[in-house]
Amino acid sequence: MNLTPVGVSNHHIHLCKEDCIKLFGKEDLEILRYIRQPEQFATKETINLIGNHGVISDVRIVGPLRKKTQVEILRGDQRILGIKAPILVSGNLKGSPGIIIQGKIGTVKINRGVIIAKPHVHLHTEEAKSFGFENGDHIDVYHKERLIMKYVIVRSGELHKSDFHIDKEEALSLKLKNNDLVELR
C-alpha cells in the first residue's frame, strides 16, 4: 500500500523579498515553527488581508521567501473578502485576483496572487518512484478503502516530504485530521 499522512493547512501567505521589506522593514522573519515540508516554516509575524468587503486578520506567513507573493485562502474566505479566487496548483497565479496586504509597518497591493490551493500530494523523488508515480501525475486518494478524492496532482522533488496537502475546509468535509493516513493509487 502507498500510504502517506494528511497535512492540513489554514489560509496563509508566501511573500517575496520586496513585499516582505515593505510590510515589515526587513527580509528575515522570525521562525515560529517548522512545518512538514523540508526547509519551510511558519513565521511569528502575521499579516492582514484587506478585501473588497472585509478583513481577515492574523494570517500566518509561510517561509522562506519566494519569487512572487502568493495568498492561499479557504473557500469560505471568499465571502469575507468579497473576492472570487480560482482553485489552482500552488505557484500558478493565472487569472487570480489581487488583494491588499497589511503588515506591521506598511501595506502592499498585489494585482494577482490570491488562490485556493488545489489539493495535492507531496512526495520525495525516491518515494514517488517507489510508489510508481512521477511529478505531475494525477492519482486517486483513499481513506479506509473509500475513495475520497480523484485526480489529485503529485508534486515530487528532492525537497518534498510525504504529505496529502488539503485545507481546513476540505479536511472537515472529508473527516480527516493531520497525520491520518491515506492511500494513494
Side-chain angles (χ1 to χ4, degrees):
M1 276 214 238
N2 300 332
L3 298 176
T4 193
V6 171
V8 180
S9 69
N10 197 356
H11 47 227
H12 61 277
I13 186 169
H14 302 279
L15 290 174
C16 71
K17 179 179 174 181
E18 177 184 342
D19 290 344
C20 187
I21 292 169
K22 288 178 185 174
L23 295 168
F24 296 99
K26 59 183 182 175
E27 63 182 88
D28 295 321
L29 300 177
E30 198 171 340
I31 297 171
L32 174 66
R33 69 181 175 281
Y34 284 93
I35 59 177
R36 185 162 182 81
Q37 292 308 306
E39 299 182 14
Q40 294 189 28
F41 53 88
T43 68
K44 288 186 178 179
E45 296 86 354
T46 61
I47 55 90
N48 298 325
L49 296 174
I50 303 171
N52 299 325
H53 295 133
V55 176
I56 298 177
S57 301
D58 301 318
V59 175
R60 190 67 56 198
I61 301 164
V62 173
L65 298 177
R66 297 214 176 159
K67 290 181 182 176
K68 291 183 181 177
T69 293
Q70 172 180 300
V71 180
E72 295 182 28
I73 64 171
L74 307 174
R75 284 167 183 79
D77 294 341
Q78 296 176 103
R79 287 186 304 277
I80 296 166
L81 297 170
I83 62 172
K84 179 76 173 144
I87 300 170
L88 297 170
V89 173
S90 180
N92 177 4
L93 306 179
K94 187 175 182 181
S96 63
I99 199 158
I100 296 171
I101 305 162
Q102 181 182 49
K104 187 174 182 178
I105 67 162
T107 60
V108 170
K109 181 178 182 185
I110 58 172
N111 294 321
R112 71 178 192 169
V114 182
I115 68 166
I116 297 168
K118 184 178 175 90
H120 54 280
V121 174
H122 289 283
L123 294 171
H124 186 274
T125 306
E126 292 304 315
E127 187 173 34
K129 189 184 296 183
S130 74
F131 286 1
F133 305 142
E134 292 183 12
N135 187 52
D137 282 353
H138 288 89
I139 59 170
D140 296 335
V141 179
Y142 291 77
H143 184 246
K144 298 181 179 177
E145 292 299 316
R146 180 177 61 91
L147 176 65
I148 59 169
M149 199 171 288
K150 293 181 73 71
Y151 208 68
V152 175
I153 193 164
V154 173
R155 302 192 74 183
S156 67
E158 294 302 310
L159 289 177
H160 290 261
K161 188 172 181 182
S162 183
D163 187 25
F164 172 46
H165 198 151
I166 55 176
D167 69 35
K168 280 176 39 174
E169 292 172 339
E170 292 159 337
L172 184 63
S173 73
L174 295 171
K175 297 179 174 67
L176 293 173
K177 60 186 185 308
N178 272 323
N179 298 315
D180 281 349
L181 292 178
V182 294
E183 183 183 358
L184 312 177
R185 298 184 192 168

